[in-house]
Amino acid sequence: MKVTRLVLALLALVVLAPSQQAKAADVICYNCPPEWADWASMLKAIKTDLGYDIPHDNKNSGQALAQILAEKSNPVGDIGYFGVTFGMKAKAQDALEAYRPANWDQVPAGLKDADGYWTTIHSGTLGLFVNKDALGGKPVPACWKDLLKPDYKGMVGYLDPSSAAVGYVGAVAVNLALGGSQSNFDPALSFFNDLSKNDPIVPKQTSYARVVSGEIPILFDYDFNAYRAKYTEKGNFEFVIPCEGSVVFPYVVGLVKNAPDKDKAKKVIDYLLSDKGQAIWTNAYLRPARPIELPEAVKTKFLPDSDYARAKSVNWGDMETAQKAFVDRYLSEVR
């Protein structure tokens, strides 16, 4: 009998541990990883200014949405952070509730849901994050098609486009740059098939540290991660906007439906769009959602405007509509 009670007690501890850990935090934000977009600095600032503890969370957009949906009957998370297409999916699947944060009116119409279900907090430009020291003397690639050269065999990484938002953004960028459209993803699928012959590395999670270490010499990633490495890490790093072109992508937050700590979560979302919050993003080389001027010290560290002219804004609502068809084809034709 004593053994049975001991086993039951241990099982109870295992079951309760995640719940108790969640309750120890003031706010739970799904997909707020410290190595991505410098969430580490943002969460530290929130702790200093609001007094809220928010644990680091290393999900990607797809995993965050899946977790919120799995917990729908008994929510644990308070805030979801997503690539915009996953924010749209979250609204469509009734995973979020409307909230218009302070300064919401200053976010351009194309960067927020009209009913307030998701709001952009910053954006990034997709390109190539390159560890020059890990290239073994090979030149820094200038174009998407350069990556297909045998010289770069085993050196190119991209996040899984069937799961991670940045993975799908990379696919959209390649597709449009090489002549595709919302209704024609043949150029991207052809590219990824050709790239598969070069033994690419295809992780599901944020891979900043793997580029810094040299494990992945070239990664489809955003400018803000490449600049962070270039100016804060030991080594030689570069950001490339491929010669054929690329895209700009918004990242959004939404309030989880029936969030356990709703009032605190709202204050956190307000903070992300505050003057101080937006400035913190710029210190991490992110483009703020509100039309504030980039600090000169930050602007001088970006590539010239002539390079950014190759990066286009697209209708991400249309791209969200096209996403499932692309993912289905990617899984059947490439993976």
Side-chain angles (χ1 to χ4, degrees), residues 90-211:
K91 178 190 176 182
Q93 296 183 61
D94 196 30
L96 305 176
E97 62 182 78
Y99 176 60
R100 295 179 175 88
N103 296 313
W104 185 85
D105 59 329
Q106 295 180 30
V107 177
L111 297 181
K112 61 190 177 186
D113 176 69
D115 298 317
Y117 283 87
W118 53 261
T119 304
T120 296
I121 53 174
H122 57 235
S123 63
T125 295
L126 197 286
L128 303 177
F129 173 15
V130 182
N131 183 330
K132 295 168 69 175
D133 296 330
L135 292 179
K138 298 178 178 66
V140 173
C143 305
W144 293 115
K145 289 185 177 179
D146 287 345
L147 305 180
L148 305 179
K149 296 176 181 178
D151 284 355
Y152 300 108
K153 190 177 183 69
M155 290 187 168
V156 180
Y158 64 91
L159 267 66
D160 184 346
S162 70
S163 175
V166 64
Y168 181 57
V169 176
V172 170
V174 168
N175 191 57
L176 297 179
L178 300 184
S181 67
Q182 176 196 349
S183 58
N184 176 21
F185 269 89
D186 289 346
L189 291 161
S190 176
F191 175 87
F192 285 117
N193 269 314
D194 289 341
L195 187 60
S196 68
K197 300 167 189 173
N198 246 5
D199 296 334
I201 304 162
V202 189
K204 290 183 178 293
Q205 304 284 16
T206 300
S207 296
Y208 175 88
R210 295 176 71 180
V211 180

Side-chain angles (χ1 to χ4, degrees), residues 182 185 189 320-330 333:
Q182 176 196 349
F185 269 89
L189 291 161
E320 194 277 332
T321 301
Q323 187 169 8
K324 185 180 184 303
F326 165 77
V327 167
D328 289 345
R329 287 190 63 189
Y330 173 85
E333 297 175 31

Side-chain angles (χ1 to χ4, degrees), residues 213-234:
S213 71
E215 181 187 349
I216 303 177
I218 305 165
L219 182 68
F220 291 26
D221 205 348
Y222 292 111
D223 50 357
F224 52 84
N225 278 331
Y227 295 142
R228 176 187 168 199
K230 182 172 183 176
Y231 297 113
T232 67
E233 304 284 359
K234 292 181 179 178

